[in-house]
Amino acid sequence: MTAEIFERTSSNNLTETLNFQPGLRVENSCSNCGSTELRINGLGGQYSQILIDSRPVFSSLAAVYGLEQLPVSMVDRIEVIRGGGSALFGANAIGGVVNVITKEPLRNSISVSNNTSVSDKNTWDVNTSFNGSFVSDDYKSGMYLFGMVRNRDSYDRNGDGYSELPQIDLETIGFRGYYKLSNYSKLSLEYHHIHEFRRGGDKLDRPPHEADIAEQLDHKIDGGGAQFDWNTPDYRHRLGLYTSAQKVRRDSYFGTQQNPDAYGNTKDMTFIGGGQYTTLFDHVIISPSEFTVGMEFTHNNLNDKILGYGRDFFQNTNIIGGYVQNEWNGEKYSLLLGARLDKHNLMNNAVFNPRANVRYSPIEAVGLRVSYSSGYRAPQAYDEDLHVDAVGGEVTIIEIDPDLKPEYSHSLSASADLYKNLDKWQTNLLVEGFYTILNDVFTLVQNGEDSQGNLLLLRRNDTEARFGGINFEFRATLPGVVDIQAGYTFQKSKYKYPFRWSDDENLPAQKKMFRSPDNYGYLTANFNITKNFDASLFCNYTGSMLVQHNAGYIDENTEKLTRDYLDLGIRFAYTFRLSGLFDIELNAGIKNLFDTFQKDIDRGPLKDSGYIYGPSMPRLYFFGIKLSL
C-alpha cells in the first residue's frame, strides 16, 4: 500500500487506511476512548504483528491506540503479509504482518498539508502535517523530517452527554536519515516522538474523577533505531546489523461514578537487537537461491498500575530467536523453506516453527502459490488487557489465569494470481484460500466481581478454534484514465466446541466467534478527469456479525446479530502547477456519505462501552490543501 491509497481515501492515520486491503478489517472496540483493533483473515487484533521498518517495537501497550497515533505523513508504504509464510518475522504473527516502512530522503522537497473534517453535529477534526526531504549533492547523506498536529472534538451521537468518539490532541515529530560510509555500506537512523491526549465519557471539561464515566489517556512515546548495512560489489553477500527501542509512558484514568482512585500510570520499554546475513548461490540442488540466516533478541518491560483497583501488574518478557531460510527462484517456480526457533522466558521450552512457500507459474500471466506456517502466543498480557471498559456504571478488569498455557497455530493458504491485458486495460485477479487452527485458544469469560463491585474477566484456555475463508482481490487499470481496486472476503471463525462467555443461563453457548463477520470488502476507484483534476470513490462493506452486549443500560447480558453496513466516500482534488517546482492541491469530499453509524448505542452512565460496531466515523465533510516544493 503506497501513498496513492492514502491520498485517494483522504486518510490521516493507519486506522483509516488498512481497511483497503483484502482480509484486513480495522474496528473501533471502545465507545469511550476509541481503542482500535486490526483483524487479519478473521483473527483478533492480538494475532496481528505490526512492525516499524521491519522491527517489532510495537508492543502490546503501544498497540492499544497505536494505529491511530501513526500519521500517514511518516509512511512511505505498508507491506501486508497475510499469514506467516516467512521465517524472518516472529512466530506471534499468526494472523499476519503489517510492516510500516517510513519515508526515506530521495530528493530535496518540502510539503505542508492540512485536512479538516466536520460532522453533522459540528464536531471538528483538524490535521496539519509537514514533510521535508534533504539530500546532499553527492547523495552520500540525507534526512527526511516529518510531523503532524491533530485536534479532534469528541462526538456524541445520541445527545445523551456521553461521547461515542473521544477528544484527541496529538503531536508527532520525527526523522529518518542515512549516511553512506562507502559505496557498499550505509548507516541509517530513525527517531519519532508522539504525544497524545485523549478523553472520552461525559463532563469532558471537568477533571475525570468528577465525571460519571471517564477514560483519559496521556501518552508520551519515544522510539527509534539504527541499522548498519554492508554488501559486496556484486551484491552476492549482504549483512545487516540493527537495534531499535521504544519507550511508552501513559498516565490514565479508567473510572466510573466519580471514583477518585481510578488514576493509573503505565511504563513500557521495548528493545530489539539483531543481525541478518544473506548470500546468493548460483545453483543449490535445483536453481539459483538466496540463503538468509539471522538472530534477534527482543526485550519488553511493562509495569501497569491502577492502585485504586489493587492493580500493580509487572511483566518482563525476553525472546531470543534464530531463523534460517532459503529461497530457490526459477522462471516458472520458486520454493521457500525456512524455520524459526524462539525461546520465550514465560515458556518452559523453545518453540520450533517451520515455514514453507511454493510458487508455480505455468505461464507468465498465471501464478499459483501454496504456503504453510506455524506459530505461537505466550501466556502474557496483550493489548486488550491494558484497557479498561466501562460497563453498567462499573469497570471491567481482565485477569490472567495463572495456569494459562501457550497457544499454538497451524496455517495453510493457497492462491492463484492471474494477469490479463484487455486492449488497453491491465487487469489482475487474486483468489486466495486460507485456513488456520488454534490449539489451546485464549478466551475471555466472566469471572464474578471483585470487592469493589468491578466486573472481572478471566483469560483462560479453551480447546480449539478454526478460521477459514477466501480472499478476492481485483485490479483494473486504464493508464492515465482510471484505476480500480476491489477486495472481498468470505470467511468463518468458529470454536471447535460451543463457548459460553457469560454465566447467564439464558444465553446459549456459541461456536461462532464474536465481532467476526462472514463477509466484508472494499472498493477504491480513481478517475483522472483532466491532467490536473482527479476524482476518487472509496467504500468499505461489512456483513452482519454477532456482538456481545453487557447488562447495564439493558437489563440482562445479550447477543445481537448486527445488520450489514456500507461506508461510502468521495473525494475531488485539483492541482495548480504554479511553476516547474511549486504545486498547490485543493481537495474536498465526504466520508460515510450515507451516515451508516451505529443506531442502537447505549445511553447514559450505565452504557456498555464495548458495545460499538459499524463504521468508526459518522458522516464527515472534509476539505484540504497541500503545498509541495
Side-chain angles (χ1 to χ4, degrees):
M1 305 178 66
T2 64
E4 288 183 354
I5 193 69
F6 307 156
E7 294 176 358
R8 293 176 185 178
T9 59
S10 194
S11 297
N12 297 301
N13 53 69
L14 297 190
T15 60
E16 301 179 66
T17 301
L18 292 174
N19 280 318
F20 298 100
Q21 272 284 308
L24 272 63
R25 197 172 65 84
V26 181
E27 65 177 11
N28 183 355
S29 57
C30 177
S31 64
N32 288 332
C33 67
S35 60
T36 57
E37 184 175 353
L38 169 64
R39 294 173 174 263
I40 302 179
N41 283 353
L43 284 87
Q46 62 270 30
Y47 299 97
S48 305
Q49 186 171 42
I50 300 172
L51 310 176
I52 307 294
D53 292 323
S54 302
R55 310 297 171 228
V57 295
F58 222 68
S59 65
S60 294
L61 179 64
V64 181
Y65 305 101
L67 290 177
E68 201 165 16
Q69 293 170 342
L70 293 177
V72 296
S73 60
M74 68 179 282
V75 180
D76 177 65
R77 66 188 186 277
I78 301 172
E79 299 174 349
V80 177
I81 303 174
R82 294 184 295 270
S86 173
L88 274 59
F89 303 113
N92 285 314
I94 294 173
V97 172
V98 173
N99 191 6
V100 180
I101 307 298
T102 58
K103 290 182 177 179
E104 283 192 85
L106 300 177
R107 59 183 179 85
N108 293 323
S109 64
I110 297 175
S111 69
V112 179
S113 64
N114 174 272
N115 187 282
T116 299
S117 303
V118 60
S119 73
D120 292 333
K121 292 185 176 292
N122 199 33
T123 58
W124 293 78
D125 187 354
V126 182
N127 296 262
T128 302
S129 63
F130 71 88
N131 305 290
S133 178
F134 308 95
V135 181
S136 63
D137 292 338
D138 58 5
Y139 292 95
K140 288 189 64 176
S141 61
M143 180 176 291
Y144 188 89
L145 303 175
F146 58 85
M148 187 184 81
V149 177
R150 182 187 188 191
N151 301 106
R152 186 179 79 180
D153 297 334
S154 64
Y155 177 75
D156 178 7
R157 176 71 175 192
N158 53 20
D160 65 345
Y162 294 79
S163 64
E164 272 66 64
L165 296 173
Q167 167 196 348
I168 293 179
D169 296 305
L170 170 69
E171 301 95 34
T172 301
I173 191 168
F175 74 88
R176 183 176 180 182
Y178 71 85
Y179 179 75
K180 293 183 178 179
L181 302 172
S182 69
N183 290 334
Y184 310 109
S185 61
K186 182 174 75 171
L187 178 66
S188 302
L189 299 172
E190 186 270 333
Y191 168 79
H192 60 269
H193 171 78
I194 299 172
H195 179 210
E196 186 205 59
F197 173 87
R198 62 172 60 208
R199 168 78 181 270
D202 70 316
K203 302 177 184 177
L204 302 185
D205 58 340
R206 305 297 300 164
H209 62 267
E210 295 183 11
D212 293 317
I213 294 179
E215 294 190 24
Q216 178 175 297
L217 295 308
D218 192 338
H219 289 88
K220 297 180 180 68
I221 302 173
D222 290 278
Q227 178 163 331
F228 171 75
D229 293 296
W230 170 86
N231 60 267
T232 57
D234 58 2
Y235 285 88
R236 294 183 64 86
H237 301 275
R238 303 192 302 275
L239 175 67
L241 302 174
Y242 58 87
T243 181
S244 297
Q246 182 164 277
K247 184 177 183 179
V248 183
R249 290 161 293 171
R250 184 182 81 174
D251 294 322
S252 62
Y253 180 93
F254 292 104
T256 61
Q257 303 182 34
Q258 303 182 11
N259 184 354
D261 299 320
Y263 288 93
N265 66 82
T266 311
K267 297 179 181 179
D268 180 80
M269 182 68 191
T270 303
F271 170 81
I272 297 104
Q276 180 176 297
Y277 170 73
T278 301
T279 185
L280 303 177
F281 293 99
D282 290 332
H283 286 87
V284 176
I285 303 177
I286 51 178
S287 72
S289 69
E290 181 177 276
F291 176 78
T292 301
V293 62
M295 291 195 67
E296 187 172 81
F297 170 73
T298 302
H299 167 78
N300 179 253
N301 185 286
L302 171 69
N303 184 206
D304 184 35
K305 294 182 181 180
I306 309 179
L307 298 182
Y309 297 146
R311 181 181 177 93
D312 189 0
F313 178 80
F314 179 80
Q315 179 177 271
N316 188 58
T317 58
N318 295 300
I319 306 173
I320 299 176
Y323 56 86
V324 61
Q325 179 172 288
N326 199 78
E327 183 174 8
W328 292 268
N329 281 303
E331 183 177 339
K332 290 190 174 184
Y333 63 87
S334 66
L335 171 64
L336 184 149
L337 297 176
R340 188 177 182 102
L341 185 67
D342 288 311
K343 179 61 180 74
H344 196 296
N345 67 307
L346 299 182
M347 300 172 61
N348 294 327
N349 300 316
V351 182
F352 177 76
N353 290 285
R355 310 285 173 93
N357 192 304
V358 180
R359 177 191 59 85
Y360 174 62
S361 297
I363 59 175
E364 185 177 358
V366 176
L368 307 176
R369 188 184 299 272
V370 177
S371 67
Y372 165 80
S373 64
S374 64
Y376 75 94
R377 283 206 306 156
Q380 64 185 72
Y382 292 95
D383 50 357
E384 60 184 327
D385 306 328
L386 303 171
H387 168 259
V388 178
D389 277 321
V391 179
E394 301 293 346
V395 298
T396 301
I397 299 174
I398 296 177
E399 297 182 332
I400 300 175
D401 188 338
D403 297 322
L404 189 67
K405 297 183 294 184
E407 185 181 53
Y408 296 96
S409 71
H410 299 275
S411 300
L412 182 68
S413 68
S415 65
D417 209 357
L418 312 174
Y419 296 85
K420 179 70 174 180
N421 290 337
L422 303 172
D423 195 15
K424 296 182 179 181
W425 285 86
Q426 302 169 3
T427 66
N428 171 228
L429 174 65
L430 172 69
V431 181
E432 175 192 57
F434 59 90
Y435 186 74
T436 297
I437 296 177
L438 293 179
N439 295 315
D440 295 321
V441 61
F442 296 163
T443 57
L444 285 174
V445 296
Q446 291 186 354
N447 194 38
E449 297 180 348
D450 64 11
S451 59
Q452 302 177 46
N454 299 316
L455 178 65
L456 298 178
L457 296 180
L458 181 67
R459 181 178 299 283
R460 71 178 191 189
N461 295 106
D462 208 292
T463 53
E464 185 178 295
R466 301 176 181 182
F467 308 80
I470 302 176
N471 288 317
F472 296 90
E473 183 176 11
F474 175 74
R475 181 166 184 173
T477 302
L478 185 59
V481 180
V482 61
D483 183 12
I484 301 171
Q485 297 184 54
Y488 207 85
T489 299
F490 296 96
Q491 64 104 50
K492 297 286 186 181
S493 301
K494 291 187 175 182
Y495 297 104
K496 183 177 181 180
Y497 301 106
F499 164 70
R500 185 181 296 277
W501 64 276
S502 170
D503 52 12
D504 191 331
E505 296 182 356
N506 296 323
L507 288 177
Q510 291 279 2
K511 279 190 174 183
K512 184 176 177 62
M513 283 196 171
F514 294 98
R515 306 186 75 89
S516 185
D518 290 343
N519 55 90
Y520 50 94
Y522 75 94
L523 169 71
T524 65
N526 190 71
F527 305 91
N528 302 111
I529 299 174
T530 68
K531 184 178 180 180
N532 297 335
F533 184 36
D534 293 343
S536 300
L537 176 74
F538 49 95
C539 71
N540 284 109
Y541 168 78
T542 303
S544 62
M545 57 184 171
L546 198 62
V547 177
Q548 297 164 326
H549 193 176
N550 287 283
Y553 176 71
I554 59 174
D555 294 332
E556 297 179 343
N557 292 342
T558 188
E559 300 166 359
K560 176 173 180 177
L561 186 64
T562 70
R563 65 180 180 88
D564 57 353
Y565 55 85
L566 183 70
D567 183 352
L568 176 68
I570 54 174
R571 176 184 184 269
F572 300 95
Y574 191 90
T575 302
F576 297 89
R577 306 192 185 280
L578 302 183
S579 68
L581 298 176
F582 187 56
D583 294 342
I584 298 179
E585 180 193 272
L586 300 178
N587 63 79
I590 305 175
K591 297 180 181 179
N592 197 358
L593 179 63
F594 302 123
D595 197 26
T596 54
F597 200 80
Q598 182 179 345
K599 299 294 191 294
D600 63 336
I601 302 168
D602 282 0
R603 303 177 65 91
L606 301 182
K607 68 184 293 187
D608 174 7
S609 63
Y611 185 61
I612 186 76
Y613 59 88
S616 60
M617 294 289 175
R619 179 163 50 215
L620 295 175
Y621 306 90
F622 67 87
F623 51 91
I625 182 172
K626 181 179 180 181
L627 290 77
S628 302
L629 178 63

